[in-house]
Amino acid sequence: EGLYFGEEHHPLSPRVVRGEALHGSNLFPSQVPEMTEAVLDWISMMTRLGHDLARLISLSLGLSADFLYRFYTRRPTTLFRI
């Protein structure tokens, strides 16, 4: 059992309109209103960390700093399971 959350997407976002899996609004429990901000902040911080790490990995491989970002991580599907 667990709760899964991801990046928030506007209902008219192209990825939502196309019906891409795991894209849309999160359903946060109303019993814990502070959870929304905490989870979305965490997802944002971890996504930034992932981009920073990808930049460092690119450089360590002798590639341009944005190589992995351009070809692999520009639009990640982020999930956070509690």
Side-chain angles (χ1 to χ4, degrees):
E1 294 281 334
L3 296 174
Y4 288 86
F5 298 103
E7 179 184 1
E8 283 286 301
H9 295 279
H10 189 278
L12 297 178
S13 161
R15 294 174 100 176
V16 175
V17 171
R18 285 194 303 266
E20 289 186 27
L22 306 174
H23 291 83
S25 297
N26 290 298
L27 301 174
F28 289 100
S30 59
Q31 300 87 343
V32 190
E34 61 274 5
M35 179 182 256
T36 301
E37 183 178 359
V39 166
L40 294 178
D41 285 350
W42 177 258
I43 289 171
S44 178
M45 287 186 290
M46 292 301 103
T47 300
R48 281 194 306 271
L49 175 62
H51 286 302
D52 290 344
L53 290 171
R55 187 171 24 265
L56 293 171
I57 291 168
S58 291
L59 290 171
S60 74
L61 294 172
L63 304 168
S64 64
D66 67 341
F67 182 86
L68 290 175
Y69 178 81
R70 286 185 292 128
F71 295 104
Y72 298 103
T73 64
R74 182 182 325 207
R75 292 181 10 211
T77 299
T78 56
L79 290 176
F80 176 51
R81 180 180 179 195
I82 299 175

